[in-house]
Amino acid sequence: MKAPGNQLLAWLPFLAAYVLAPFAVLAGRLAGQPEVFRPFGPQGLALWLALSGLALMVCLGRDILARTRQAKPAWPGLVLSLLLAAGVLAGLRLFGPALAQAEALAPLLDELRLPALALFAAAWVWSFGAPSREALARLGGGLGALVLLDFLLTAIVARQVVLGGGYLLGGGLAGADTLALLLCVALSATLDRPGAEEPGHRPAMLARWLILAGIMATFSRSGLAAAGLMTLLLERGPLQERLALACACALGVWMSLALPLAHTVGGGEELGLSWHLTATLEALRQAPQAWLHGLPLDEPVALALPDLGGLDWDPESAGLAVSVFQIPSSWLRLLAAWGAGGPILVLTAMLACALHGRRRFGFGLLCAALVSAALTPALHTPATVGVLALACALAWRDVPARPQPVPNAE
């Protein structure tokens, strides 16, 4: 049985993504200074850097306590901790301003976010364990309730239905897609739920319905598409119920596309995903070796010519440069930045976690990532990539127990 401290540490990254990050955004909006709390929100890295520092302090503290119990001197661990803290402070003072001004390194550091958070998730689960799927589902239910409250309050204040809400959480289109993917990850944790007749099923059922309500309240097309596929193909239960939920998700996508309702989640990328797909494939066609190692990060993928409403375009102007980090699809961005090996490696890792766990939970994560990363930069947003990596690590470890052989009564 895990110690209470270990249980809290196992919960902490999911708690940060599902509770602390949304409430940081809410606190910034209520205080009238959203930019101050933005690094602690789902789009920022501040919470994940704080978790990394906390994990390092806990590991060093455990080492010191272990040496004390074994009657060994504890001063090496203390000295190492002080040297590490001094090194970090000195590095920030010496190299912090230089890194802030090194614009050439920004694209590379941005693309390293995914492998860094994946390694962080693996190290965290290895060191402190991971919470149960029921815990993840309950956190998702809490976030779904907050998103639903945001949608209702926005409709009351605006006196009309506003797609995606935004009064409490805001965030625009990117924020709605991020929250929808977090809810889809929590929905994946409910796919292996027990039968309705079992006694502990009511809390899980409540969390499931709050998650689904939150996804529909975001009106995120990627989130609704992923939720519809998961409920139809992977969830247990009668086909009629699963088909009805999938149709409800499809109706939400249609409403976001067709109905002339007010919205705060924007109208999507100005250039559109199809333009980025065509431009990326054309750049790869012109440089076939980029299929192996990717396109240069410090050079534009293509040049976009804006729509001037029938006016003539100045032939001396080269156009608007579009770089890799501006590609709105994570799968396409991985292909452009790392070559074909990038998306193949990520898909293989997620598929291996799903197959090793042998549960619908892992395949639900794979479905959510496939759909969301195809339409949004889900694998390049700190909160979503961190939660997906942690959930995949949980799916890897959450292997169903083998049934014990029944002893012969004779």
Side-chain angles (χ1 to χ4, degrees):
M1 183 177 178
K2 292 182 180 180
N6 280 353
Q7 291 180 356
L8 177 60
L9 287 170
W11 269 67
L12 202 53
F14 286 122
L15 192 67
Y18 282 88
V19 178
L20 299 181
F23 274 94
V25 175
L26 176 60
R29 291 181 66 84
L30 293 179
Q33 296 178 329
E35 65 281 351
V36 175
F37 293 87
R38 189 171 299 154
F40 296 92
Q43 314 292 329
L45 275 171
L47 278 179
W48 302 97
L49 293 175
L51 287 173
S52 301
L54 176 63
L56 186 58
M57 291 174 58
V58 169
C59 291
L60 289 173
R62 285 181 174 179
D63 180 69
I64 294 173
L65 290 176
R67 295 179 66 88
T68 303
R69 293 192 191 100
Q70 297 173 5
K72 295 181 180 180
W75 63 266
L78 292 173
V79 171
L80 180 61
S81 303
L82 292 175
L83 289 176
L84 184 62
V88 171
L89 291 176
L92 289 176
R93 287 185 62 87
L94 292 176
F95 302 106
L99 286 176
Q101 298 175 0
E103 297 181 359
L105 293 177
L108 176 61
L109 295 177
D110 203 25
E111 297 306 317
L112 290 177
R113 184 181 300 170
L114 170 59
L117 285 173
L119 291 175
F120 163 80
W124 188 281
V125 174
W126 178 270
S127 302
F128 309 118
S132 62
R133 289 180 291 112
E134 291 75 12
L136 176 57
R138 288 185 174 90
L139 287 173
L143 180 60
L146 180 62
V147 173
L148 183 60
L149 178 63
D150 183 23
F151 173 76
L152 295 176
L153 283 179
T154 305
I156 293 173
V157 171
R159 297 183 180 179
Q160 60 178 324
V161 175
V162 180
L163 299 184
Y167 181 73
L168 296 179
L169 299 177
L173 177 61
D177 291 335
T178 298
L179 293 174
L181 181 53
L182 291 176
L183 292 172
C184 285
V185 171
L187 180 64
S188 301
T190 68
L191 296 177
D192 292 294
R193 70 184 192 275
E197 69 278 358
E198 298 190 20
H201 185 46
R202 286 190 176 181
M205 281 295 294
L206 176 60
R208 171 179 174 267
W209 285 111
L210 286 174
I211 292 168
L212 287 170
I215 293 173
M216 294 185 181
T218 63
F219 281 92
S220 166
R221 297 162 194 170
S222 59
L224 287 168
L229 287 175
M230 280 191 289
T231 54
L232 181 61
L233 301 178
L234 297 174
E235 198 171 45
R236 301 178 187 271
L239 178 61
Q240 295 85 347
E241 178 185 341
R242 293 186 283 122
L243 188 58
L245 289 174
C247 290
C249 293
L251 179 62
V253 174
W254 176 79
M255 290 177 62
S256 68
L257 290 171
L259 295 186
L261 297 176
H263 54 79
T264 59
V265 295
E269 295 287 332
E270 292 182 1
L271 294 174
L273 183 58
S274 60
W275 185 92
H276 286 88
L277 176 61
T278 304
T280 303
L281 293 179
E282 177 62 22
L284 292 172
R285 187 189 66 81
Q286 295 179 3
Q289 69 277 7
W291 285 95
L292 297 176
H293 54 72
L295 297 168
L297 298 178
D298 56 348
E299 297 179 6
V301 175
L303 298 176
L305 303 181
D307 183 8
L308 300 179
L311 300 179
D312 293 333
W313 174 256
D314 185 2
E316 297 181 358
S317 301
L320 179 64
V322 178
S323 301
V324 171
F325 68 90
Q326 295 174 305
I327 297 176
S329 165
S330 274
W331 295 126
L332 190 59
R333 181 170 168 178
L334 283 173
L335 175 63
W338 301 98
I344 291 175
L345 181 61
V346 175
L347 283 172
T348 303
M350 296 193 69
L351 182 60
C353 291
L355 292 174
H356 184 267
R358 302 195 304 276
R359 291 187 184 273
R360 297 168 187 255
F361 174 42
F363 291 101
L365 295 174
L366 181 60
C367 177
L370 277 173
V371 176
S372 297
L375 302 175
T376 68
L379 299 181
H380 294 83
T381 302
T384 51
V385 67
V387 166
L388 271 172
L390 286 163
C392 286
L394 174 57
W396 175 273
R397 300 188 62 173
D398 191 19
V399 179
R402 294 182 179 179
Q404 297 296 328
V406 178
N408 194 348
E410 295 181 359

